[in-house]
Amino acid sequence: MPSSAAAPAGHPLLAPDLDAALPGLAVAIDPAAVAELFRLRWPDGESTPVIRTCTLEHALWRPGVDCVATYRLGFTGRDGEASTLGAVAISRGGVRHWLYSTDPALPGLAGAADPHAIRAWLTAHVGGDVERYTITPVRYRAGTRCVLRYQTPDGDSPPLYGKVVAGNGCTDLAAILAALGGNLVAPYVGVAPEWQLVVQHDAGDESLKAVPLDLSGTAAAAVAAAGDLLAQLHARPAPHGPVRSLADDVDELRQLESALQLVNPSAAKQYATGIAQLEDRNVSGEAMVASHGAYRADQVHRSERGSVMIDLDSYCLAEPARDAANFLAYLHWRAIRGSASPASVAHARGAFIEGYGEVAKRALDAERLRLFEAAALLKIAGRRCRSLSHHEWQHLPALIDSAFDMLHAARGSTR
């Protein structure tokens, strides 16, 4: 394997004593070690390919319990160069690894990622006479979900996208997508419960996250469209879904606290104070509305049809301020880590709120918006620790300070 693969961009250079219960964590998740693990034992039973690259894509660390990390593996096999996704789980019992297609929590992948099985299903649902679809794993979260791209060999037709969701989540997701319709989400194709699979048409290949944040009218219009889109969702009759309140956000923050305590004990004390302040402000008279649940710029894709949302498996019923605050918190995060200037982020915030207000039946509650934004900023801090994003840990104090700024502003808010 090329030496460059041993330290890809974003590789977490972890202290060897970070988690006393998992003493080999730093070594076990190193991409070079993972590549060697897959080289020594290729999980699908075929002859081992030549692994060219191994890049960490996602990690989920539960201090004292385990860490599950996902990697993109570039390899040369019997059919030439290709790539796939694999996972490694490190626990007190040792280290396990597998390819995405053999995830025991996602048995539906056996059919959803099978070219012959999926060809017959897609032909029945979208028509045409395609001999074979190229299947590419796009995103994978071990034990939870996997997104697959189905592309015709000539590449002339827009791809289709399938999401395999753990448990019976595909049927709930299918009902939500069908209820929301093609103006808010990419057009729905169908559901295959036996494969835990939901399929949609292409949402467009440009994520709003890829649009540079600057002071231009182009950037403002793009972000305003995201506000408009969210207001449309909030105005829709709400399909059934789980309820998510500020109390639920506080519960999540507490679950993230142990990782922060190990990474930065000083910041963890401030984090705990922030949680306590949020807990005191949970009561609200706001009505619950249809909500995305994890609304960010990368959840909005742009195409000739206009902007649509993706990843509605996070759908819930929540106060209107919760979605909007999450979007604004991630804009703020871009300024904190230096990927956008504070002035351009302020410009984008104004455009988003204006876009929302042009469609919404009522303005967002200023106090609740700031409270939920404080919660979202604290969640970003906790998640940076849980994902072992070492290169971003320098920003933890700034994230927590920004959350306190929001909490202070909420105290002075007027409805």
Side-chain angles (χ1 to χ4, degrees):
M1 190 175 94
S3 59
S4 61
H11 171 58
L13 302 173
L14 302 179
D17 59 349
L18 177 65
D19 189 338
L22 303 173
L25 178 60
V27 173
I29 69 166
D30 181 85
V34 171
E36 181 67 5
L37 188 65
F38 276 95
R39 186 190 70 79
L40 292 173
R41 185 170 176 271
W42 191 249
D44 70 359
E46 297 184 3
S47 59
T48 303
V50 177
I51 299 175
R52 297 179 289 103
T53 59
C54 179
T55 306
L56 177 66
E57 292 209 338
H58 181 262
L60 183 63
W61 171 44
R62 295 188 300 167
V65 180
D66 62 12
C67 179
V68 180
T70 305
Y71 299 81
R72 171 97 30 201
L73 301 166
F75 64 91
T76 303
R78 63 186 180 185
D79 297 323
E81 294 189 357
S83 72
T84 190
L85 292 170
V88 172
I90 302 99
S91 68
R92 297 182 187 186
V95 179
R96 296 182 296 115
H97 70 292
W98 61 90
L99 295 175
Y100 82 95
S101 55
T102 60
D103 189 325
L106 299 173
L109 278 167
D114 180 279
H116 300 291
I118 202 63
R119 175 188 176 276
W121 190 93
L122 290 176
T123 299
H125 285 77
V126 300
D129 187 25
V130 178
E131 289 188 8
R132 183 182 178 90
Y133 285 89
T134 299
I135 303 175
T136 305
V138 179
R139 291 192 308 280
Y140 170 52
R141 297 292 181 263
T144 305
R145 61 191 182 276
C146 184
V147 177
L148 302 170
R149 181 170 59 241
Y150 301 121
Q151 180 70 65
T152 57
D154 56 20
D156 291 340
S157 302
L160 299 166
Y161 286 87
K163 176 171 279 190
V164 176
V165 187
N168 298 317
C170 68
T171 54
D172 293 336
L173 177 57
I176 291 164
L177 294 174
L180 294 180
N183 291 333
L184 294 179
V185 299
Y188 169 67
V189 173
V191 59
E194 66 276 20
W195 295 336
Q196 303 170 291
L197 175 70
V198 178
V199 178
Q200 292 175 267
H201 288 280
D202 185 21
D205 58 4
E206 185 183 27
S207 162
L208 177 58
K209 188 177 180 180
V211 176
L213 278 190
D214 53 32
L215 299 176
S216 69
T218 300
V223 177
D228 178 310
L229 185 66
L230 182 62
Q232 291 183 55
L233 172 64
H234 288 175
R236 288 290 181 91
H240 176 74
V243 174
R244 293 287 182 264
S245 67
L246 187 58
D248 295 304
D249 288 340
V250 167
D251 287 343
E252 181 181 346
L253 290 171
R254 293 200 184 282
Q255 292 171 20
L256 295 167
E257 194 171 1
S258 60
L260 191 60
Q261 287 169 345
L262 291 175
V263 169
N264 189 326
S266 176
K269 292 179 181 178
Q270 287 293 96
Y271 180 91
T273 301
I275 292 175
Q277 291 188 22
L278 284 169
E279 198 166 31
D280 290 340
R281 307 289 290 276
N282 180 53
V283 178
S284 170
E286 289 287 291
M288 300 292 183
V289 298
S291 300
H292 183 281
Y295 201 55
R296 307 183 302 267
D298 58 340
Q299 304 291 346
V300 179
H301 278 232
R302 306 181 338 140
S303 69
E304 293 180 357
R305 295 191 310 272
S307 297
V308 295
M309 299 177 180
I310 66 168
D311 292 342
L312 266 293
D313 43 315
S314 56
Y315 172 86
C316 61
L317 303 178
E319 295 178 44
R322 187 173 186 267
D323 273 343
N326 199 71
F327 190 97
L328 295 175
Y330 274 89
L331 287 181
H332 195 148
W333 172 223
R334 291 171 76 167
I336 289 172
R337 68 179 191 268
S339 64
S341 71
S344 63
V345 167
H347 186 60
R349 290 175 67 93
F352 177 82
I353 292 173
E354 182 178 349
Y356 184 94
E358 288 180 353
V359 174
K361 295 179 180 178
R362 54 173 298 193
L364 291 163
D365 183 289
E367 179 187 7
R368 302 304 289 177
L369 186 66
R370 286 164 177 157
L371 288 172
F372 276 110
E373 187 168 355
L377 287 163
L378 291 175
K379 281 191 283 186
I380 293 170
R383 289 169 180 171
R384 295 306 86 206
C385 299
R386 186 182 64 181
S387 64
L388 296 175
S389 300
H390 179 277
H391 59 291
E392 294 174 333
W393 290 351
Q394 62 185 306
H395 302 304
L396 294 176
L399 278 164
I400 296 170
D401 285 348
S402 295
F404 273 91
D405 289 342
M406 286 295 159
L407 287 168
H408 179 75
R411 286 194 289 271
S413 297
T414 55
R415 292 181 181 273

